Amino acid sequence: MTNELPESARIVIIGGGIVGASIAYHLAARGEREVLLLERDRATSGTTWHAAGLVAQLRATENLTRLSRYSLSLYQRLERETGQATGFRAPGAISLATTDERFTELRRTASMARHLGVDAHVILPSEIRALWPAVETDDVVGAIHLPDDAMVSPVDVTNALLAGAREAGVGIRSRAPVSGLLVRKGRVAGVRCDAEEIRAEIVVLAAGMWSRQLVAEHGITIPLHAAEHYYAITEAIDDLPETTPILRDPDRNAYFKEDARRLLVGLFERVARPWPPGPLPTRIPDASFIEIEADLDHVSPLLDRAFDRLPALREVPLRQIFCGPESFTPDDQFLLGETPEVAGLFVAAGFNSIGIQAAGGVGWVLADWILDGAPPMDLWEVDIRRFEPFAGREDYLRRRTVETLGLLYEIHWPFRQPETARNVRQSPLHDRLARRGACFGVLAGWERPLWFARPGEAPVEEPTFGRSNAFEPIGEEHRATREAIGLYDQSSYAEFLLEGPDALEVIDRVSANRMDVEPGRVVYTQWLNSRGGIEADLTVTRLDQDRFWIVTAPATRRRDHHHLARAIGSARARLVDESDDWAALGLMGPRSRSLLEEVAGERLPDEDFPFSTARDLSIGGMAVRALRLTYVGELGWELHVAVGDAGDLFDVLLRAGARWGIRPCGFRAMQSCRIEKGYRHWGHDIGPDDDPLVAGLAFAVAWDKSADFVGRAAVEEARQRPLERRLLHFAIDDEAAMLHGEEPIYRNGERMGLITSGAWGYSLGAAIGLGYARRTGGGLDADWIREGTWEIEIAGRRFPARASLRAFHDPGTKRPRS
């Protein structure tokens, strides 16, 4: 076969590992023939060749589990389809717990698994020994058994995918190193391959740990860094059958897998070693099938601890101790989707040691994303746009990589925060909040107060699935917000200015709500996709005829900016990101008007400053843009101020607010308040798979506005059908219950859906949550809800629950409008 390179291809894929092969295979399966895959050496020569080949079904969320389950089903049929061996076997898997908290996590996992159709069983030590007699279980509390989990030969699966793609007409070239991208006017135009150029409309970057080097010259953020990953392989064990289940021992940071009558022992140490040990190369080195010299002083104690689980291994000689590089991202989720910096450039990289498990599903969804202009499901948690540019810095990545590898096997606590690479972005109020005992969390690099410790107590939360030491302080902040005034630092929020002669046309076309309102109005709206799903959830303030001010969440700043910028096209409008210029304070609670009137020196009655309006105020000589809004379900304002004035404004409000009962509050209190009131959170309760009707947000759609808007046809069509799915409010009147999200919902014993957001409702004295229910054929109304017996399953136990279409707190929404 010739290795001559064509002058052009519609789609070029860079990378011949299992991910690139899967993308090529799925593009071909969709009928796309003008595809060229370029591999710099030989297929699998990056990290695929040394992967362990585990194919687990479960991930932390429903849609990522769908991707993993698709991978398993694909690999199961791939050999029959292509005639190429894949090494597919499904011996099942066992995950052990040696502490009560770990067992709680596993039981929670089993609850979600069964809802998602994954066969999962909670088992006890005697049942573990029946499946694997050699396992030491004296310290084991319990385990979860997934009988259908599988393993494959990564090299064989990759070759099978490439064979299927080649048969369908995909061009595949080995020893064709790509040296860079061609970019013209902000859009990818092809690739450079040594001295040759290949034109392309779409380029897919699936080059693993070298992906960032390929695009660095274009300022594209690819936040991944390699780390050393160890496993050992024993000599043959005569009585080790092929049916031996995969064994995961997360409390010992180890896993065990039968491999040709040998045992592979993999390690995920708590403190990882970034690779290379020195600075990252600026260019891709001429190296393939990389193997790192094993550091026995580092790995031997880890292996010794792992062997405590299978003591007989101490008598079995080791055939090999292997160390190879694998790439990790700052949050242990992979990178997928179109880059915001260069249109037409898609990324599939940073797989955090689960590339084999993910690759099949990634090929499916990325092929759809490329060809349809959108993924087939909500993939925000792996969307590359979730990362800010700082996340691509080498110093940041090296510090975070030390932690992220080990987190794969740590307990996934509900509110755990990263410990490394912190204080990247601080609010101008950071020091003031720290002096008041703030326990900080991090979001999009921002240090944000989660809750405030009492005097003399450390602002450190003890990890638990139950009530932590933060429970009572959060309750005090919650009650201050409901009864007096809560003061929230919202400086991490993003602010955009859209201006120009066509600004109204652009924002009205993007938004489901009406934007042609009088200046000074604040409009709560969603931005929809063509299917009617919610792409963004935010507020837009009309400043004057051709100027609009958009406030959105810090986590979605890049995504929302990219979405709106792409919508502008050739219109006469300019989008400016003003986020670095503004700070914001949330002044929330029934006494907030009294305080605001005092510090502003003017009366602010409801008739002059109604809900969903904005005014410019002067407070202590500082110019403040005040938006009368709430995310806690109380009378309140967002006070936006120049960054340099934020500290002074904070001090003025605290001094004057003392007599009104003001209290600095954190985002955990805001979370509790907003779920009591039923306010949705994009990325949890609503997203691209949910239209405003099922989300209970039809009131934010301007059905009668004359201007067309993206998604209008889809939501109007959905409006004509009986409602089969709906976001509901839930409450559990049992102090033993704590909802954190992903807990299964039952009606009359039938699984309905999962909790999307959960917290403790201090005003209600109940565990509270939001979650979707389904009724096939429609008719999901208040009567159907009232007539059902509802339960929510937490770690295997079902709790009786109340369900409602309306929020349990202030269902008539009178308090924010008072």
Side-chain angles (χ1 to χ4, degrees), residues 388 425 428 446 490-500 541 543-544 546-554 557-558 560-561 564 574-584 616 625 627 640-644:
E388 294 284 334
R425 308 169 90 181
W446 285 100
Q490 298 175 216
S491 300
S492 56
Y493 284 22
E495 294 96 351
F496 310 144
L497 177 66
L498 179 69
E499 59 183 358
T541 301
L543 301 178
D544 53 41
D546 58 1
R547 296 173 69 239
F548 295 84
W549 205 57
I550 298 141
V551 178
T552 189
R557 185 192 72 86
R558 292 194 94 198
D560 295 344
H561 188 274
L564 185 55
R574 184 173 74 112
L575 180 62
V576 182
D577 187 342
E578 298 187 337
S579 305
D580 292 340
D581 300 330
W582 293 89
D616 291 333
R625 181 174 290 168
L627 279 59
H640 295 260
V641 65
V643 166

Side-chain angles (χ1 to χ4, degrees), residues 382-445:
V382 294
D383 191 321
I384 193 169
R385 292 173 295 177
R386 72 189 185 275
F387 284 113
E388 294 284 334
F390 73 81
R393 296 200 315 249
E394 183 175 340
D395 62 332
Y396 173 85
L397 289 168
R398 286 187 67 83
R399 285 181 286 141
R400 181 58 62 81
T401 301
V402 169
E403 179 181 14
T404 49
L405 181 146
L407 289 180
L408 291 174
Y409 270 29
E410 288 295 293
I411 295 177
H412 299 90
W413 301 110
F415 303 107
R416 189 198 180 278
Q417 297 295 317
E419 298 173 4
T420 55
R422 293 291 297 267
N423 294 301
V424 174
R425 308 169 90 181
Q426 292 184 353
S427 153
L429 306 176
H430 182 88
D431 291 345
R432 285 171 167 83
L433 300 173
R435 288 194 296 269
R436 291 180 173 274
C439 175
F440 289 99
V442 63
L443 181 67

Side-chain angles (χ1 to χ4, degrees), residues 450-473:
L450 299 179
W451 56 278
F452 290 82
R454 293 163 170 166
E457 297 181 358
V460 178
E461 185 165 10
E462 301 163 358
T464 178
F465 289 100
R467 297 187 179 189
S468 75
N469 58 308
F471 184 83
E472 290 301 334

Side-chain angles (χ1 to χ4, degrees), residues 710-724:
V710 176
R712 181 170 194 159
V715 292
E716 287 186 338
E717 180 184 349
R719 197 182 183 195
Q720 306 307 312
R721 301 191 300 266
L723 199 62
E724 295 188 347

Side-chain angles (χ1 to χ4, degrees), residues 188-341:
V188 74
V191 299
R192 294 193 302 272
C193 202
D194 288 335
E196 301 182 56
E197 293 186 353
I198 303 172
R199 299 187 307 276
E201 298 175 24
I202 301 288
V203 173
V204 184
L205 189 59
M209 61 186 174
W210 306 123
S211 296
R212 65 195 309 275
Q213 281 82 357
L214 279 169
V215 299
E217 65 179 300
H218 301 288
I220 298 167
T221 300
I222 308 286
L224 56 79
H225 196 296
E228 296 179 0
H229 182 48
Y230 281 91
Y231 58 74
I233 302 176
T234 71
E235 293 289 359
I237 301 173
D238 292 336
D239 57 350
L240 186 66
E242 283 191 347
T243 55
T244 301
I246 300 158
L247 180 69
R248 294 184 177 88
D249 189 2
D251 292 325
R252 282 184 167 75
N253 300 94
Y255 65 90
F256 306 84
K257 166 203 157 184
E258 187 278 333
D259 189 351
R261 290 180 48 243
R262 303 180 182 96
L263 202 63
L264 184 150
V265 184
L267 302 169
F268 285 97
E269 63 265 42
R270 287 187 171 89
V271 180
R273 293 154 64 107
W275 187 86
L280 290 173
T282 57
R283 299 178 62 85
I284 299 175
D286 186 16
S288 299
F289 300 100
I290 296 171
E291 184 171 353
I292 303 166
E293 184 177 354
D295 184 336
L296 296 181
D297 290 338
H298 174 73
V299 75
S300 294
L302 302 170
L303 281 172
D304 188 61
R305 191 161 179 262
F307 288 171
D308 287 342
R309 183 60 59 209
L310 291 167
L313 286 183
R314 299 187 191 281
E315 308 302 321
V316 180
L318 291 181
R319 181 186 183 93
Q320 180 184 18
I321 296 178
F322 177 84
C323 181
E326 293 197 17
S327 57
F328 291 81
T329 63
D331 61 359
D332 267 336
Q333 300 282 22
F334 45 86
L335 309 173
L336 209 60
E338 187 177 19
T339 67
E341 299 93 345

